Amino acid sequence: MYDRSEHVWDAVLQIRSHAPLVHNITNYVVMNTTANALLAIGASPVMAHAEQEVEDMVNIASALVINIGTLNEEWTKSMFMAARKAKQKGIPVILDPVGAGATPYRTRTARQLLDAVSPSIIRANASETMALVTEGKLTKGVDSTAASDHALDAARILSDQFGSVVCVSGEKDYIIAGKRMIVVGNGHSMMTRVTGLGCTASALCGAFAAVGSDLADSTAYAMAVMGIAGEIAAARAAGPGSMQMQFLDALYGLSFEDIDQHLKLTTVSP
Amino acid sequence: MYDRSEHVWDAVLQIRSHAPLVHNITNYVVMNTTANALLAIGASPVMAHAEQEVEDMVNIASALVINIGTLNEEWTKSMFMAARKAKQKGIPVILDPVGAGATPYRTRTARQLLDAVSPSIIRANASETMALVTEGKLTKGVDSTAASDHALDAARILSDQFGSVVCVSGEKDYIIAGKRMIVVGNGHSMMTRVTGLGCTASALCGAFAAVGSDLADSTAYAMAVMGIAGEIAAARAAGPGSMQMQFLDALYGLSFEDIDQHLKLTTVSP
Amino acid sequence: MYDRSEHVWDAVLQIRSHAPLVHNITNYVVMNTTANALLAIGASPVMAHAEQEVEDMVNIASALVINIGTLNEEWTKSMFMAARKAKQKGIPVILDPVGAGATPYRTRTARQLLDAVSPSIIRANASETMALVTEGKLTKGVDSTAASDHALDAARILSDQFGSVVCVSGEKDYIIAGKRMIVVGNGHSMMTRVTGLGCTASALCGAFAAVGSDLADSTAYAMAVMGIAGEIAAARAAGPGSMQMQFLDALYGLSFEDIDQHLKLTTVSP
């Protein structure tokens, strides 16, 4: 029987052999580290944001990752152009709505991106996920439900509304696709002390979606690989500085045994 | 008796328990490394520069750090907006006038920021500090005073004129607040071989000021913690690459013993 | 007899003693890492792109490095301004046409920069080099020549047309200056898994050209030092994360013995 670990490993091998070009329109803070993570897993990163070229770059890319971490008007305009082109071309579009909920501008822009392009995958933390849902739809029942359930409700609403796979990341990662749910239990608390590992997760979702056939599985495999590399790195790290270095080394050196020993991935039947 | 080391340690504990949100409008070169340093010490970094959101971001932040290292008109405009909002809200504003004196544009912009917002803390090296002072005020006595005294004169002028704490950093860091002066002797020469550690110091001033009650003390504690982490890191580093990694690990793992064994902090009576 | 290793070592010593200011107008992905590499080898990096200051910054710099990796209209305008000023002042201009050939915008911009400023040094990979040459000039004989020969033909055309030293980097680096050719065989395959080491090579070309008297030699020495540091780093690295760290340490700690033991530099007579 072909088990889960073998599927994850197969996806890694696909990335390593095809080196899919992942086009990132992302934030300044993480450009270097996400490019390095994509290279470490075996993909080919490119960063390009000028309106004069984003459509041409999408045209040669296998996935588009949009991240609003340091957005402004110029970059947002290019995100819309690139995302529309990617949908038209049929390559996966991953949206990371960094900081949605923190300022009205971020929330508004993230929602406009949702409306305009119905991303293939949305990867966000719990509060960002909730911020993406129009108030009226979610606030019913605030008193009776816990915050984490709340984020899952929001994820289901977003998945239904936009046909997107929604990954709510946190101590556990919940991947919602319509009535399907996959739970990934990998990861390490030290990962929260390294800036941009959430953004890196979104970039890896792009790499896995580029070579995969099922968006929910690809998202789950990307999150599992992130978490496993994080666990391996944390075991070798003395703090967040060495963590960042060990994480790239772990991604690069990832073996079937690493996956098989660490994988915590569960499909929850609807 | 509550000694200096205990005060510094208390400030670190305050940051770790409150995780103050430090809003940075900073340069491209150091965004990743300053975000990581803020996370390592226990603060919460956010980078946001769009005019559509800087005021909203300041509104949820506990300190604002402005750094002109890769300034242009768009970013400068946002710096003014954010700084005015921060003053109005009453949170500390830290200015790092990177490269003031190197080009007229930097010098002019830095001075305009001083005039417009009277920063809580100015952290700069000697030549930048001197460049901030209008020529006529400082050039008297050029022949008779040494360069380092000159920077301290400039710092006193700036402190008087803007009511700011001024930190002139270098082999020793001089923190000037009106007639008060604190001298921090921590640090290591290898720190000058890692890009952006000055900018990181300014970001840490933001974190310490966010949890402290006295701006001069907070600045001194931030500079001492920078220097101590640098000394610990240098002892474990083979060069600037490992230095950068060890520095983050040292910040993250900083203990009372580290501070107590290394602290070189002296108050100079007026 | 003064041998090749001694010449390379002399150039390193010149950089360490003069700490030339290298002005970079480069891409967001590599700003931090190229600044760190310049500091590690002993140069002084500055990043500045605002049209209000690029000419003033060039005025105090010893070399200008232009890299179009994340170009847009604003940055491109500043690249032209800075490059014209640098030519006028007589300091070396290094062009890294990142991604030329990937989108028409990049190809067009790179060619316009060539036409406007005739860079002192062009450092590019094989496909970028070929993309810089106007189609009609190179496509003759496509069937009869291999791709690598093709890039060298393109390099010769560019060198003749613009009077530039052209470095086609890859497993071997070919430095073409008119009829001269120098081949550098240093480097390690792990270097391709760290983002921006090509951009770092261009920045080091700036540092070596700033202190050297012959542009082709300076380019060759920069590429050799990159490759040697890469070989030393790879021997100590477990993956691309530790590679990046070890590379900076190796650049910083580079000794005559390192150069003498590793150098693979051959001049090919015309």
Side-chain angles (χ1 to χ4, degrees):
Chain A
M1 204 196 88
Y2 214 64
D3 74 3
R4 284 288 196 183
S5 298
E6 289 171 290
H7 284 293
V8 177
W9 179 237
D10 261 8
V12 172
L13 292 180
Q14 290 283 319
I15 294 171
R16 289 186 185 168
S17 61
H18 294 297
L21 185 67
V22 180
H23 178 189
N24 301 271
I25 306 182
T26 187
N27 70 71
Y28 301 120
V29 183
V30 306
M31 282 197 194
N32 185 271
T33 53
T34 52
N36 272 329
L38 285 167
L39 284 172
I41 196 67
S44 299
V46 70
M47 274 66 183
H49 69 286
E51 55 176 303
Q52 288 88 347
E53 70 169 355
V54 285
E55 294 180 321
D56 293 318
M57 201 61 92
V58 164
N59 226 14
I60 58 170
S62 299
L64 172 68
V65 179
I66 289 177
N67 176 308
I68 66 167
T70 54
L71 80 174
N72 74 357
E73 285 302 271
E74 179 199 352
W75 284 68
T76 303
K77 187 178 171 191
S78 291
M79 289 173 190
F80 278 95
M81 287 177 68
R84 287 195 181 105
K85 179 74 180 179
K87 295 298 282 192
Q88 185 187 318
K89 194 193 163 195
I91 61 169
V93 177
I94 293 82
L95 175 65
D96 188 332
V98 179
T103 69
Y105 180 52
R106 286 181 189 233
T107 309
R108 190 168 67 242
T109 302
R111 288 181 183 177
Q112 287 168 346
L113 281 163
L114 284 180
D115 284 334
V117 300
S118 300
S120 319
I121 301 169
I122 303 167
R123 199 217 54 83
N125 64 28
S127 68
E128 289 160 352
T129 304
M130 289 186 284
L132 293 181
V133 177
T134 322
E135 283 72 9
K137 299 200 176 176
L138 192 65
T139 46
K140 298 171 202 162
V142 166
D143 299 334
S144 60
T145 46
S148 64
D149 292 337
H150 229 48
L152 294 189
D153 286 348
R156 284 187 197 98
I157 292 169
L158 292 169
S159 181
D160 287 346
Q161 190 174 351
F162 299 105
S164 306
V165 172
V166 183
C167 172
V168 184
S169 60
E171 205 176 316
K172 289 189 178 184
D173 304 316
Y174 298 89
I175 292 97
I176 310 278
K179 299 208 177 307
R180 287 173 68 193
M181 182 161 83
I182 310 175
V183 183
V184 174
N186 294 107
H188 190 280
S189 62
M190 179 78 86
M191 297 174 81
T192 62
R193 293 300 190 97
V194 178
T195 195
L197 284 187
C199 305
T200 296
S202 298
L204 288 198
C205 286
F208 280 82
V211 299
S213 55
D214 180 281
L215 287 169
D217 285 343
S218 294
T219 306
Y221 300 165
M223 299 310 293
V225 162
M226 278 294 300
I228 291 169
E231 291 170 25
I232 294 170
R236 299 173 183 160
S242 42
M243 179 76 188
Q244 186 165 33
M245 181 191 81
Q246 294 287 355
F247 176 76
L248 290 173
D249 284 359
L251 266 188
Y252 174 78
L254 201 72
S255 67
F256 174 72
E257 287 67 33
D258 290 334
I259 294 171
D260 203 41
Q261 284 168 24
H262 289 82
L263 187 66
K264 294 182 191 163
L265 191 155
T266 319
T267 299
V268 179
S269 300
Chain B
M1 204 193 88
Y2 214 66
D3 74 3
R4 284 288 195 181
S5 298
E6 288 170 292
H7 284 293
V8 176
W9 178 239
D10 261 8
V12 172
L13 293 180
Q14 291 283 318
I15 293 171
R16 288 186 185 168
S17 61
H18 294 297
L21 186 67
V22 179
H23 178 187
N24 301 270
I25 307 182
T26 187
N27 71 71
Y28 301 121
V29 184
V30 305
M31 283 198 191
N32 185 270
T33 53
T34 53
N36 273 328
L38 285 166
L39 283 171
I41 196 68
S44 298
V46 70
M47 272 67 182
H49 68 287
E51 57 176 302
Q52 289 88 348
E53 69 170 353
V54 285
E55 293 179 321
D56 292 320
M57 200 60 93
V58 165
N59 226 14
I60 57 171
S62 299
L64 172 68
V65 179
I66 289 177
N67 176 308
I68 65 168
T70 53
L71 81 174
N72 74 356
E73 285 302 272
E74 178 199 353
W75 284 67
T76 303
K77 188 178 170 189
S78 291
M79 290 174 189
F80 279 94
M81 287 178 66
R84 287 196 180 103
K85 179 74 180 180
K87 294 298 283 190
Q88 185 186 317
K89 194 194 163 195
I91 61 170
V93 177
I94 293 81
L95 175 66
D96 188 333
V98 179
T103 68
Y105 180 52
R106 287 181 188 233
T107 308
R108 190 168 66 242
T109 302
R111 289 181 183 177
Q112 287 168 347
L113 281 162
L114 285 180
D115 285 333
V117 300
S118 300
S120 319
I121 301 168
I122 302 166
R123 199 218 53 83
N125 64 29
S127 69
E128 290 159 353
T129 304
M130 289 186 283
L132 293 181
V133 177
T134 323
E135 284 72 10
K137 300 200 177 178
L138 192 63
T139 45
K140 298 170 201 162
V142 165
D143 299 332
S144 60
T145 46
S148 63
D149 291 337
H150 229 47
L152 295 188
D153 286 347
R156 284 189 196 95
I157 292 169
L158 293 168
S159 182
D160 287 346
Q161 190 174 350
F162 300 105
S164 307
V165 171
V166 182
C167 172
V168 184
S169 60
E171 205 176 313
K172 290 189 178 184
D173 304 316
Y174 298 89
I175 292 97
I176 310 278
K179 300 209 176 305
R180 288 173 68 195
M181 182 161 84
I182 309 176
V183 182
V184 174
N186 294 107
H188 190 280
S189 61
M190 180 79 86
M191 297 174 81
T192 62
R193 293 301 190 98
V194 178
T195 195
L197 285 186
C199 306
T200 296
S202 299
L204 289 198
C205 286
F208 279 83
V211 300
S213 55
D214 180 280
L215 287 169
D217 284 344
S218 294
T219 305
Y221 300 167
M223 299 310 292
V225 161
M226 279 294 300
I228 292 169
E231 291 170 25
I232 294 170
R236 299 174 184 161
S242 41
M243 179 76 188
Q244 185 165 34
M245 181 191 82
Q246 294 287 355
F247 176 77
L248 290 173
D249 284 0
L251 267 187
Y252 174 78
L254 201 72
S255 68
F256 174 72
E257 288 68 32
D258 290 334
I259 294 170
D260 204 40
Q261 284 168 25
H262 289 81
L263 187 66
K264 294 182 191 162
L265 191 154
T266 319
T267 300
V268 179
S269 300
Chain C
M1 203 196 87
Y2 214 65
D3 74 3
R4 284 288 195 182
S5 298
E6 288 171 291
H7 284 292
V8 176
W9 178 238
D10 261 8
V12 172
L13 292 180
Q14 291 283 319
I15 293 172
R16 289 186 185 167
S17 62
H18 293 297
L21 185 67
V22 179
H23 178 187
N24 301 272
I25 307 182
T26 187
N27 71 71
Y28 300 121
V29 183
V30 306
M31 282 196 193
N32 185 271
T33 52
T34 51
N36 273 328
L38 285 167
L39 284 171
I41 196 68
S44 298
V46 70
M47 273 66 182
H49 69 285
E51 55 177 303
Q52 289 87 348
E53 71 170 353
V54 286
E55 293 179 322
D56 293 319
M57 200 60 92
V58 164
N59 226 14
I60 58 170
S62 299
L64 172 69
V65 179
I66 289 178
N67 176 309
I68 65 167
T70 54
L71 81 175
N72 75 354
E73 285 301 273
E74 178 199 353
W75 285 67
T76 303
K77 187 177 171 190
S78 292
M79 290 173 190
F80 279 95
M81 287 177 66
R84 286 195 183 105
K85 180 73 180 178
K87 294 297 283 191
Q88 186 186 319
K89 194 193 163 198
I91 60 170
V93 177
I94 292 83
L95 175 65
D96 188 333
V98 179
T103 68
Y105 180 52
R106 286 182 188 233
T107 308
R108 190 169 64 242
T109 303
R111 288 180 184 179
Q112 287 168 347
L113 282 162
L114 285 180
D115 284 334
V117 300
S118 301
S120 319
I121 302 169
I122 303 166
R123 198 217 54 83
N125 63 29
S127 69
E128 290 160 352
T129 304
M130 289 186 282
L132 293 181
V133 178
T134 323
E135 284 73 8
K137 298 200 178 177
L138 193 65
T139 45
K140 296 170 202 163
V142 165
D143 299 332
S144 59
T145 46
S148 64
D149 291 336
H150 229 48
L152 294 189
D153 286 347
R156 284 188 197 98
I157 292 170
L158 293 169
S159 182
D160 287 345
Q161 191 174 351
F162 300 105
S164 307
V165 171
V166 182
C167 172
V168 184
S169 60
E171 205 176 315
K172 291 190 178 183
D173 304 316
Y174 299 89
I175 293 98
I176 310 278
K179 299 209 176 307
R180 288 172 67 194
M181 182 162 84
I182 309 175
V183 183
V184 174
N186 293 108
H188 191 280
S189 62
M190 180 79 85
M191 298 175 80
T192 61
R193 292 301 189 98
V194 177
T195 196
L197 284 187
C199 305
T200 296
S202 298
L204 289 198
C205 286
F208 280 82
V211 300
S213 55
D214 179 280
L215 287 169
D217 284 344
S218 294
T219 306
Y221 299 167
M223 300 309 293
V225 162
M226 279 295 300
I228 291 169
E231 290 170 26
I232 295 170
R236 299 174 184 161
S242 41
M243 179 75 188
Q244 185 165 34
M245 181 191 82
Q246 294 287 355
F247 176 76
L248 290 173
D249 284 359
L251 267 188
Y252 175 78
L254 201 71
S255 67
F256 174 72
E257 287 68 32
D258 290 334
I259 294 170
D260 203 40
Q261 284 168 24
H262 289 81
L263 187 67
K264 295 181 191 163
L265 192 154
T266 319
T267 300
V268 179
S269 301

